[in-house]
Amino acid sequence: MEEQKKKILLVEDDPNFGTVLKDYLMMNDYDVVHAKNGMEGFEKFKKGDFDLCILDVMMPYKDGFTLAKEIREKNTDIPIVFLTAKAMKEDVLKGYKVGADDYLNKPFDSEVLLMKIKAIIQRKATETISDSKQFEFKIGGFDLNSKLRFLRYKGGDPIKLSPKENELLRLLALHENDLMPRELALTKIWRDDNYFTSRSMDVYIAKLRKYLKLDDKVEILNIHGEGFRLVVN
Amino acid sequence: MEEQKKKILLVEDDPNFGTVLKDYLMMNDYDVVHAKNGMEGFEKFKKGDFDLCILDVMMPYKDGFTLAKEIREKNTDIPIVFLTAKAMKEDVLKGYKVGADDYLNKPFDSEVLLMKIKAIIQRKATETISDSKQFEFKIGGFDLNSKLRFLRYKGGDPIKLSPKENELLRLLALHENDLMPRELALTKIWRDDNYFTSRSMDVYIAKLRKYLKLDDKVEILNIHGEGFRLVVN
DNA sequence: ATATTTGTTAATGTAAGGTTAAAAGTAAGA
DNA sequence: TCTTACTTTTAACCTTACATTAACAAATAT
């Protein structure tokens, strides 16, 4: 399974410093989106699904604190780190008041920043484990537990599913009896829609069909050119 | 309902500074225990049930880092803040490696310290509700006492567990029959998620499996790419 | 009919996990 | 201080799991 890079939103108006910092973070295996001001920062924040925000305090139009407040309204949990040139006590206090997780005075050491980022993201990672998406499905005589990745027929021995099998069956189950568009699975699971990923998906459909043979009331139908349909009679 | 004061362990060898800081914190509604050196700090830590530790780095006999490591062996969750006179980068990095939550260079502003304490304790308050106080488990025919670090099968001779064995088994037990994500163990126990810590974890899984062989109803299953599952049949 | 899409099986390459042993690091006793 | 016992990390090697690609057959659309 592919390692998922952590996503960082960096809002910094100084183009030189911002670019350098972005490159440095990307070199260290983070996925970085760089916004040049508070306004743009908020727009990008709404679109992306970030693990951490790094905000410059002093920016034209919308300063870091204001932006932080807006971000907090949308998301109470996401860690925020402020960058600031001046080491003003009032600023530090203000930062903590809007829920900062940390604070760095420029110029700061890049290794220290890296450590802080790591510490903060790890902290959050341990909290946010039990996010309750939908993990359990009944499909005819089958039970699908997509957190533990197994499929069981009528209380028999569980069939272990590979990550792709699991995700694909889960998507089909979410659309039970309805069309599950090819494109949806490809973009959600394979993150790319091309000839090869499409062939790959067909291979997985074949595998799922083999498993589902146990119950002849359950089948995966193809809708030519559209996608697949998990039907339960 | 009566509001419970948060308990802080302050380890600081400078008697003047230590006393002033202690008084300041107590004035701000914290319950503070002041230890004058690392040794005393560890003794007091074992006795009290603290919400936060503030450790001076430079102390005679036992420095703050060593003390932090000892504290971490007893408790992986408790927040630690370091105080230091010198703003050495190496020290900061070392601090984060032993799992510091924050870092303050003397002289620091007392209001800033207060804010940080507040932020850190609040952070922990949200995560540490259910699992941190659980130290005794029944796992099939086994009893795990993870405070005393031993595992006993059907009242037989206790098997002594090393700190890592113990923490890992405890995490698995907390998630009994459910997924215990690799990432969780690595970040909580090893404080880093990389190739080597991951391999190290596998070694410990092997050790635990050897212990658990005594009861063939208990086993640790792998979920490829996700983590492990302690199952009791 | 013939191009396109889908079905299925097999082959291949890579990543993850299992196991054991050696090396390195620590703690405590002699 | 040296020794010994013990914990943890690093390394090596092996096995298993998975995803992709290829190849070819079958179905479907134009």
Side-chain angles (χ1 to χ4, degrees):
Chain A
M1 182 87 166
E2 122 199 13
E3 178 83 22
Q4 192 58 46
K5 283 186 191 174
K6 299 293 179 185
K7 252 181 117 178
I8 296 178
L9 175 65
L10 170 63
V11 188
E12 164 66 66
D13 64 312
D14 178 340
N16 291 318
F17 181 69
T19 307
V20 169
L21 185 51
K22 176 183 174 179
D23 289 346
Y24 177 72
L25 291 173
M26 288 180 76
M27 264 170 36
N28 283 281
D29 258 350
Y30 291 101
D31 195 350
V32 183
V33 172
H34 180 196
K36 273 109 195 148
N37 60 62
M39 233 82 81
E40 192 192 337
F42 191 53
E43 290 313 309
K44 296 214 159 142
F45 173 78
K46 282 191 288 188
K47 276 180 203 144
D49 180 26
F50 295 96
D51 297 289
L52 172 71
C53 300
I54 301 178
L55 313 182
D56 191 16
V57 170
M58 286 204 292
M59 290 185 296
Y61 307 121
K62 187 184 287 184
D63 69 79
F65 297 128
T66 312
L67 174 57
K69 256 192 252 171
E70 292 176 352
I71 288 176
R72 274 274 167 272
E73 270 175 31
K74 293 263 165 207
N75 184 328
T76 46
D77 293 326
I78 190 162
I80 296 176
V81 174
F82 285 111
L83 302 181
T84 180
K86 46 176 187 173
M88 296 273 295
K89 173 181 151 189
E90 286 71 29
D91 276 5
V92 177
L93 295 182
K94 200 169 167 188
Y96 277 104
K97 240 171 230 159
V98 297
D101 279 70
D102 216 325
Y103 219 94
L104 275 167
N105 293 315
K106 295 192 227 174
F108 51 80
D109 186 279
S110 54
E111 275 190 79
V112 172
L113 172 65
L114 222 52
M115 276 313 245
K116 291 204 174 197
I117 288 174
K118 218 169 165 184
I120 289 171
I121 286 184
Q122 280 184 184
R123 210 144 61 202
K124 289 290 166 180
T126 59
E127 299 176 31
T128 327
I129 286 298
S130 56
D131 48 351
S132 54
K133 286 180 198 168
Q134 219 175 317
F135 286 118
E136 295 182 20
F137 300 88
K138 273 212 181 315
I139 306 166
F142 295 99
D143 287 307
L144 167 66
N145 183 325
S146 76
K147 186 166 158 201
L148 300 179
R149 284 200 342 229
F150 68 74
L151 182 68
R152 169 182 280 132
Y153 180 58
K154 304 247 192 208
D157 280 343
I159 304 162
K160 292 206 287 181
L161 300 179
S162 84
K164 288 251 147 77
E165 290 166 353
N166 177 58
E167 282 297 297
L168 185 56
L169 185 52
R170 178 165 168 273
L171 263 198
L172 286 164
L174 278 168
H175 298 243
E176 188 177 311
N177 289 322
D178 200 357
L179 172 67
M180 195 283 292
R182 276 195 99 88
E183 206 204 340
L184 180 72
L186 291 172
T187 52
K188 279 220 171 188
I189 303 176
W190 277 265
R191 300 218 179 96
D192 191 15
D193 180 351
N194 61 44
Y195 173 76
F196 291 108
T197 53
S198 191
R199 299 319 336 277
S200 204
M201 172 171 170
D202 287 333
V203 171
Y204 280 90
I205 290 288
K207 294 185 190 201
L208 291 181
R209 280 185 173 133
K210 208 179 277 177
Y211 297 145
L212 297 175
K213 272 212 185 85
L214 284 172
D215 185 340
D216 52 12
K217 290 186 179 24
V218 176
E219 54 187 334
I220 298 175
L221 302 182
N222 175 255
I223 299 169
H224 201 92
E226 301 289 335
F228 295 91
R229 234 184 110 200
L230 175 66
V231 294
V232 180
N233 302 305
Chain B
M1 177 150 141
E2 165 84 17
E3 179 81 24
Q4 190 58 44
K5 280 189 192 174
K6 298 295 178 184
K7 250 181 118 179
I8 296 177
L9 174 65
L10 170 65
V11 188
E12 165 65 65
D13 64 312
D14 178 337
N16 293 318
F17 182 69
T19 307
V20 169
L21 185 51
K22 177 183 173 178
D23 289 347
Y24 177 72
L25 291 173
M26 289 180 75
M27 265 168 38
N28 283 281
D29 257 349
Y30 291 103
D31 194 349
V32 183
V33 172
H34 179 197
K36 272 111 197 145
N37 61 63
M39 235 82 82
E40 191 192 337
F42 191 52
E43 291 312 310
K44 297 212 160 143
F45 172 78
K46 283 192 285 190
K47 276 178 204 143
D49 180 27
F50 295 96
D51 297 289
L52 172 71
C53 299
I54 301 177
L55 313 182
D56 191 16
V57 171
M58 285 203 293
M59 291 185 296
Y61 307 120
K62 187 183 284 183
D63 69 78
F65 296 129
T66 311
L67 175 58
K69 254 196 253 171
E70 292 177 352
I71 288 176
R72 275 273 169 270
E73 262 182 34
K74 293 268 163 204
N75 185 327
T76 45
D77 294 324
I78 190 162
I80 295 176
V81 174
F82 285 111
L83 302 182
T84 180
K86 43 176 188 173
M88 295 274 294
K89 174 181 150 188
E90 285 71 30
D91 277 4
V92 177
L93 295 182
K94 200 169 167 190
Y96 276 105
K97 239 172 230 155
V98 298
D101 279 69
D102 217 324
Y103 221 94
L104 276 167
N105 293 313
K106 296 193 229 174
F108 52 81
D109 187 279
S110 55
E111 275 190 81
V112 171
L113 172 65
L114 220 52
M115 275 315 243
K116 291 206 175 197
I117 290 174
K118 219 170 166 181
I120 289 171
I121 286 184
Q122 257 175 20
R123 210 144 61 202
K124 290 289 166 179
T126 58
E127 29 171 321
T128 324
I129 296 297
S130 54
D131 55 82
S132 74
K133 300 251 156 100
Q134 225 173 307
F135 289 110
E136 292 181 24
F137 301 88
K138 276 215 180 312
I139 307 166
F142 295 99
D143 287 307
L144 168 65
N145 184 324
S146 74
K147 201 145 211 157
L148 301 177
R149 293 208 327 244
F150 70 75
L151 182 68
R152 170 182 280 134
Y153 181 58
K154 304 245 192 208
D157 282 343
I159 305 162
K160 291 206 288 180
L161 299 179
S162 81
K164 288 244 152 61
E165 291 167 349
N166 177 57
E167 277 300 301
L168 185 55
L169 186 53
R170 176 166 169 271
L171 266 196
L172 286 164
L174 277 167
H175 297 249
E176 188 178 312
N177 288 322
D178 200 359
L179 172 68
M180 195 284 291
R182 274 195 101 88
E183 208 204 345
L184 180 72
L186 291 172
T187 54
K188 275 219 173 192
I189 303 177
W190 277 266
R191 302 195 167 273
D192 193 13
D193 180 350
N194 61 45
Y195 174 76
F196 291 108
T197 53
S198 194
R199 297 334 327 285
S200 204
M201 173 171 170
D202 288 335
V203 172
Y204 278 89
I205 289 287
K207 294 185 191 206
L208 291 181
R209 279 185 173 136
K210 215 173 273 175
Y211 296 144
L212 297 176
K213 269 212 185 88
L214 284 173
D215 186 339
D216 52 12
K217 290 187 179 22
V218 176
E219 55 186 333
I220 297 175
L221 302 182
N222 174 255
I223 299 174
H224 200 95
E226 300 288 336
F228 293 92
R229 227 184 122 200
L230 176 65
V231 295
V232 179
N233 301 305

